[in-house]
Amino acid sequence: MKIVKFEQAKKHSNSEKCKVLEYGFSDRDIDCATAIISGRIFA
């Protein structure tokens, strides 16, 4: 099991409403990212 702490995540931003946290595992087969999009309405 590999652990990446929140503080180790790379922070990206496409705009003020889109924030992305990238969790790199230093493994060519595994990476993970979380995107937080605010101000969107889904119908």
Side-chain angles (χ1 to χ4, degrees), residues 2 5 9-11 14 20 24-27 30 32-33 36 39:
K2 297 182 181 186
K5 295 181 181 180
K10 295 178 186 175
K11 295 165 182 69
N14 293 336
V20 178
F25 292 102
S26 300
D27 186 318
I30 301 173
C32 178
I36 301 168

Side-chain angles (χ1 to χ4, degrees), residues 21-35:
L21 296 174
E22 179 183 354
Y23 297 91
F25 292 102
S26 300
D27 186 318
R28 67 183 194 110
D29 296 325
I30 301 173
D31 268 336
C32 178
T34 301

Side-chain angles (χ1 to χ4, degrees), residues 1-27:
M1 176 192 287
K2 297 182 181 186
I3 298 173
V4 179
K5 295 181 181 180
F6 177 79
E7 297 82 23
Q8 295 173 306
K10 295 178 186 175
K11 295 165 182 69
H12 305 278
S13 179
N14 293 336
S15 70
E16 187 177 310
K17 295 186 183 261
C18 180
K19 310 292 182 201
V20 178
L21 296 174
E22 179 183 354
Y23 297 91
F25 292 102
S26 300
D27 186 318

